[in-house]
Amino acid sequence: MKIYKVGLPFIGMSSLMLLMSPLANAAEMSHMDHGSMDMSGMDMSGMDHSSMDMSGNMSDMDHSGMDMSGDMSDMDHSGMDMSGDMSGMDHSGMDMSGMDHGSMDMSGMQGGEAPADARSPDYSNGVPYGRFGKPVMMGSLPLWGVSVDDLGYQFEEDQINYEFDTWYGTDSNRVTLRSEGSIQTKDDKEIDSLTSLAYWKPLSIFWNGEAGVAYDTENDKSAVMAGIAGTAPYFIETDARAYLYTDGQVRLDLGAEYEWRLDQHWVVIPEVELTAFSKDDTDNHITKGFNEFGADVRLTYEMLSRQLAPYVGISYETALGNARDLRRQEDEAVDSSSVTAGVKFWF
């Protein structure tokens, strides 16, 4: 029994020393100085490094004197584990001039030639566009439109009022044809209208500019027109147009309109208009300054995707300033009001 008592501690100590010897060797290699190692004469072409484990700490290793100018073309590094810490390694003296990099694949690095399966510049990927041709942005296509803001009958005045606007072009440049006026349905069936042909262009996000020529049937004169139209704060549709007639007369038309939406179909639209002239023209019942003020309120019902909207409403017109005295002298009404009914649409 004494023999076993002495033998067991001896065996345990021997096993512990065997287990610790690899750890001691690994710790000793981390402080090895490789500066004087000469590997220039060593042929490492047939060496297999697949089982080398370099995951340890090699931050203190010095490779400055290592000569690796030998032939390493046949070396197999596929299994080398170099996941360890190499931040402190010094490779300044390593000579790798004899290494063959011809088979290295660097296709994943940025720059160089685009791969064969890269996307084409026009995003077609080699697929033809078909019979409709190459696609274009919607804003660059020339389009056209017609908007009839008013086509109604005034019962007291016994006349038809109209106002329409047509255009052709893009979101940046258009040609517009606009006309507004009234048609008498009794007596001599007189037609009073103001028609303009203009060039239209956006000036900002909410405002557009117009410039062109116009013709007024009421005084039988042509004019040069310039104006601005857009959306004022609180979504008030506003327009201002000036007309310079051939005789030097200047006409200014101001208008404002607001859409008060009750629900998805019913809309109340109040509108006001103001007209002014630069000088007197008694032959055409015109006085200098503000001549006429008009207002109407319409209740519309939008249908067919809001493209068609019948309406009923009330309109009111009155003369201003010296125009009131001129109308009284000619036995004409100074103020007038009427019930109106009609339709507005666009396409």
Side-chain angles (χ1 to χ4, degrees):
M1 298 299 291
K2 291 182 178 180
I3 296 174
Y4 287 104
K5 289 181 180 179
V6 174
L8 288 174
F10 176 77
I11 295 172
M13 184 63 68
S14 300
S15 301
L16 180 61
M17 292 179 65
L18 289 173
L19 291 173
M20 293 181 62
S21 61
L23 298 177
N25 293 333
E28 184 178 351
M29 289 180 67
S30 65
H31 297 283
M32 290 179 64
D33 183 10
H34 298 75
S36 60
M37 293 180 66
D38 184 10
M39 303 176 72
S40 61
M42 297 179 64
D43 185 8
M44 295 181 278
S45 61
M47 294 181 65
D48 184 6
H49 297 76
S50 61
S51 59
M52 293 182 66
D53 184 6
M54 303 180 71
S55 60
N57 185 10
M58 293 178 276
S59 60
D60 296 330
M61 296 177 66
D62 182 12
H63 298 76
S64 60
M66 293 180 67
D67 183 8
M68 302 179 71
S69 60
D71 184 10
M72 294 181 276
S73 60
D74 295 331
M75 294 177 64
D76 184 10
H77 300 79
S78 60
M80 294 179 67
D81 182 7
M82 304 179 70
S83 60
D85 183 10
M86 303 181 193
S87 60
M89 295 178 64
D90 182 11
H91 300 80
S92 60
M94 295 178 66
D95 183 10
M96 305 177 71
S97 60
M99 295 183 65
D100 183 11
H101 300 81
S103 60
M104 295 180 66
D105 183 10
M106 304 178 68
S107 61
M109 299 181 66
Q110 185 176 1
E113 294 290 337
D117 58 348
R119 175 168 287 182
S120 56
D122 59 354
Y123 299 97
S124 64
N125 291 335
V127 179
Y129 292 111
R131 65 188 184 90
F132 294 105
K134 186 177 181 179
V136 295
M137 297 298 292
M138 194 66 181
S140 62
L141 288 174
L143 302 173
W144 63 274
V146 176
S147 176
V148 179
D149 291 334
D150 184 16
L151 182 59
Y153 181 74
Q154 284 188 335
F155 291 92
E156 278 73 11
E157 297 295 330
D158 198 11
Q159 67 181 18
I160 297 174
N161 293 335
Y162 72 90
E163 180 180 351
F164 72 87
D165 185 8
T166 64
W167 56 270
Y168 176 82
T170 65
D171 292 339
S172 302
N173 301 277
R174 294 180 183 176
V175 176
T176 63
L177 177 64
R178 184 176 180 275
S179 182
E180 61 178 329
S182 61
I183 304 173
Q184 298 290 336
T185 58
K186 63 179 181 180
D187 299 334
D188 54 0
K189 305 293 191 301
E190 184 179 359
I191 299 176
D192 295 331
S193 66
L194 179 60
T195 306
S196 62
L197 178 65
Y199 168 74
W200 176 98
K201 185 175 181 62
L203 301 178
S204 65
I205 298 177
F206 298 103
W207 298 97
N208 307 311
E210 298 177 349
V213 294
Y215 179 74
D216 192 346
T217 61
E218 188 172 1
N219 55 19
D220 193 20
K221 293 178 182 178
S222 57
V224 177
M225 185 273 290
I228 184 173
T231 304
Y234 303 100
F235 302 100
I236 300 176
E237 297 294 330
T238 308
D239 60 83
R241 295 179 176 87
Y243 302 86
L244 175 60
Y245 291 96
T246 53
D247 61 350
Q249 177 75 275
V250 177
R251 171 176 173 168
L252 178 63
D253 287 348
L254 304 175
E257 178 182 307
Y258 180 76
E259 292 189 358
W260 179 23
R261 187 168 295 278
L262 303 179
D263 58 17
Q264 293 295 324
H265 297 282
W266 292 100
V267 184
V268 176
I269 305 177
E271 182 181 1
V272 295
E273 293 180 348
L274 191 62
T275 305
F277 291 91
S278 63
K279 62 181 182 179
D280 295 331
D281 185 1
T282 55
D283 295 337
N284 293 292
H285 313 286
I286 294 173
T287 61
K288 182 179 179 180
F290 290 102
N291 271 235
E292 192 173 292
F293 172 80
D296 62 14
V297 179
R298 292 177 287 176
L299 175 63
T300 67
Y301 182 81
E302 295 180 344
M303 59 180 65
L304 298 178
S305 300
R306 300 180 180 177
Q307 290 184 261
L308 178 66
Y311 70 84
V312 293
I314 299 176
S315 64
Y316 172 77
E317 293 182 359
T318 182
L320 301 175
N322 296 328
R324 297 178 66 88
D325 297 333
L326 182 61
R327 290 190 180 185
R328 289 192 181 101
Q329 294 175 4
E330 298 180 355
D331 295 329
E332 293 184 0
V334 175
D335 303 304
S336 64
S337 59
S338 176
V339 175
T340 63
V343 65
K344 59 179 297 185
F345 57 91
W346 62 269
F347 57 86

